[in-house]
Amino acid sequence: MKSAEGPVHILGISAFYHDSAACLIADGQIIAAAQEERFTREKHDARFPQSAIEYCLNAGGKKLDQIDYVVFYDKPFLKFERLLETYIAFAPRGFQSFLTAMPVWLKEKLFQKILLRDELTKLGAGPNIESRLLFAEHHQSHAASAFFASPFEEAVVLTMDGVGEWTTTSVAIGCENRLETAKEIHFPHSIGLLYSAFTYYLGFKVNSGEYKVMGLAPYGEAKYTDVILDKLIDLKADGTFRLDMQYFNYCTGLKMTNKKFYKLFGDLPRKPGQPLTQKHMDIAASIQWVTEEIVLRLTRALSSETGSKNLCLAGGVALNCVANGRILRDGKFEKIWIQPAAGDAGGAVGAALAAYYTHLDKPRRTNGKDAMSGAYLGPSYNNSEIEQQLSSAGACFEKLNDSDLITATVDALAAGKAVGWFQGRMEFGPRALGARSILGDPRNPAMQKTLNLKVKYRESFRPFAPAVLREDMADWFELDCDSPYMLFVANVAQNKRRKMTKEELALFGIDKLNVPRSEIPAVTHVDYSARVQSVDRETNPRFHELLSAFKARTGCPVLVNTSFNIRGEPIVCSPEDAFRCFMGSEIELLVIENYILYKEKQDTRLKINYSTTLEPD
């Protein structure tokens, strides 16, 4: 039975579209949150998050029948309504898509309340689960995940994504425990879907490859912005917009774009695996510029209209850290806070918080810090669990004291080795933040290429992010505010940049890739930018200690920090996952808590070949 006294426990769930997740809160405090993909090892797993729920319940010391409310992050009937109305509006176009979608909806998605009830019952929810099952709207969940988890008493909340039920862009006003929607833009007009259309056109996977477009953009010139603004989108001065649906196919078809779109840009979509041309880079640069222009106009208008000094961002578009950096530098808001799990996974957090503050009308108090605990909300492992998993996998390992462990790790990093770093609780959201990370020496000009091609098995153009001591950040980057979640892009400081030769300045496109641009070339993109993570002693003491030791050895308080996974797989969750990734890549040293594993000491028969498991670009 649910608890009659004591803290109110609420379980938030996002599922069935992409990036399923669960979150447990107790009296508004986030106890645990995790994505299902980390446990099932299926990237972007959309299934009911059974494993994530079980983890959250275990972390909170609760059984499901002791949970006061279970909240789903959107309303399936409203989505079905949008689907039907869209097909009717565009009929007879889209009949084939209609025939494809309807059986899935009628069999599964339309009856998600029943599906949720049945799945929760299997997990021990008890006979009265339906009376404790609530549904939030999609954008309400996003906005709540940003505002209620933020350190602000009041703020403007801007949510931008592909589409929820009907809403694609929304503005809410948050004040204490209230969150009121002020305005919305509705489907099919969507920044997220516009960006995804170009993601598809450039040959990357929709809902996962958008960050590749962002990374590709600096190699190109924004030559097609006029075409996009003249033909595809009617953008107003206040950032509101409408798309010309003659060029898109996502309303009624099985693809994002159509022949008219292809004719506009002169080519068919790039197929995965085909070479990237300068034109592809220029198109990426153009849609990135247009996206930044949209969000800048929106945020400038919101600042003028509301007079608020605080801005919260959520939704998948809020993961566009280049645009976030532009908003920050624009200076219209004094403080900006972005939900680190800004995509659909974060909807689980928002659904739970919305139920607690909005549905139950509970008081909210902030202490100047956000509620995400550095995003370290996932599982951790004790010594016996680590030893058991590594022994079962056949690993050769040794245990060191804290000081020796840091020294050995710094030795490896300074020697140019790639290090797997597994510490404490797993991060929630798409970024590795020093708990499940692959680390490297940013001073090494070959490190970006090495990590991309030999460790991550991904495209060579992809940039890497720097983790930097918070106290040293302003000396190395043009940024001097907290950036713990790696969600702002800023330029490398002028005095750390290398003077370019005339020949180097004349290069364009992918030829820019191998030219060192600063004292930390492995994390300096071709436009001198970097996606910065600030590390402070309080939030992640061991990672801070490692960075401090690396600085003492080398004079550099920065490390390359990329997610601990290889292409096509989720970030590692368990010690066993970490060991498999270690043996399936050219990571040379693996550090799991106080255990250290050297590649040369491992049984070569345990080497894993991932070549057949890679997903297409």
Side-chain angles (χ1 to χ4, degrees), residues 221-373:
E221 297 179 32
K223 295 179 177 179
Y224 297 93
T225 55
D226 288 346
V227 173
I228 296 171
L229 292 172
D230 290 345
K231 299 293 185 181
L232 300 185
I233 184 169
D234 178 14
L235 178 61
K236 304 300 184 184
D238 65 355
T240 57
F241 59 89
R242 291 181 64 85
L243 302 184
D244 187 339
M245 298 313 298
Q246 295 180 80
Y247 295 91
F248 302 94
N249 203 38
Y250 57 77
C251 282
T252 58
L254 301 175
K255 298 178 180 179
M256 293 299 296
T257 51
N258 59 26
K259 291 179 181 178
K260 192 165 184 177
F261 187 101
Y262 312 151
K263 185 176 180 181
L264 187 65
F265 291 98
D267 291 295
L268 291 172
R270 171 182 168 265
K271 293 180 179 179
Q274 285 185 334
L276 284 162
T277 67
Q278 185 61 47
K279 183 175 182 180
H280 292 132
M281 299 172 201
D282 293 341
I283 290 173
S286 302
I287 187 55
Q288 178 62 34
W289 186 93
V290 169
T291 300
E292 293 171 29
E293 184 65 18
I294 295 169
V295 298
L296 279 173
R297 292 191 189 187
L298 283 169
T299 53
R300 287 168 180 169
L302 291 176
S303 172
S304 176
E305 291 167 11
T306 67
S308 177
K309 297 179 180 180
N310 302 320
L311 174 68
C312 294
L313 297 175
V317 178
L319 293 173
N320 192 310
C321 50
V322 179
N324 297 341
R326 289 282 306 278
I327 298 170
L328 184 66
R329 291 191 298 277
D330 197 45
K332 295 298 184 291
F333 290 91
E334 289 183 10
K335 295 181 180 179
I336 301 172
W337 193 86
I338 305 163
Q339 166 57 241
D344 274 13
V349 173
L353 292 174
Y356 185 74
Y357 291 115
T358 304
H359 180 70
L360 299 180
D361 195 25
K362 296 291 186 179
R364 175 173 176 260
R365 299 177 183 85
T366 61
N367 59 2
K369 297 181 180 179
D370 71 49
M372 291 298 292
S373 300

Side-chain angles (χ1 to χ4, degrees), residues 522-533:
V523 294
T524 305
H525 208 4
V526 295
D527 57 354
Y528 293 102
S529 68
R531 191 180 74 217
V532 184
Q533 178 199 0

Side-chain angles (χ1 to χ4, degrees), residues 369 372-377 406 421-428 431-437 439 467-471 483-486 533-549 559 561 593:
K369 297 181 180 179
M372 291 298 292
S373 300
Y376 305 116
L377 296 168
I406 295 295
W421 181 255
F422 184 111
Q423 301 289 328
R425 297 185 72 178
M426 180 179 71
E427 303 93 338
F428 180 58
R431 308 290 185 223
L433 301 169
R436 304 290 186 273
S437 293
L439 307 176
V468 58
L469 291 171
R470 174 65 182 92
E471 55 267 33
S483 181
Y485 301 122
M486 208 182 280
Q533 178 199 0
S534 61
V535 180
D536 66 72
R537 182 178 285 105
E538 183 179 354
T539 305
N540 193 330
R542 178 161 278 192
F543 196 29
H544 188 276
E545 183 183 3
L546 179 66
L547 281 159
S548 298
L559 286 172
N561 178 14
E593 298 297 345

Side-chain angles (χ1 to χ4, degrees), residues 76-90:
F77 272 104
L78 288 180
K79 280 196 171 182
F80 185 66
E81 175 188 88
R82 187 246 301 165
L83 185 73
L84 280 180
E85 289 193 21
T86 300
Y87 282 127
I88 290 169
F90 284 86

Side-chain angles (χ1 to χ4, degrees), residues 393-396 579-580 582-585 587 598-610:
C396 179
F579 181 68
R580 288 183 71 252
F582 175 58
M583 295 305 294
S585 68
I587 297 173
Y598 295 92
K599 181 63 69 68
E600 62 268 20
K601 294 184 179 180
Q602 306 305 315
D603 187 337
T604 56
R605 291 173 296 180
L606 298 175
K607 174 78 175 173
I608 297 170
N609 183 3
Y610 278 100

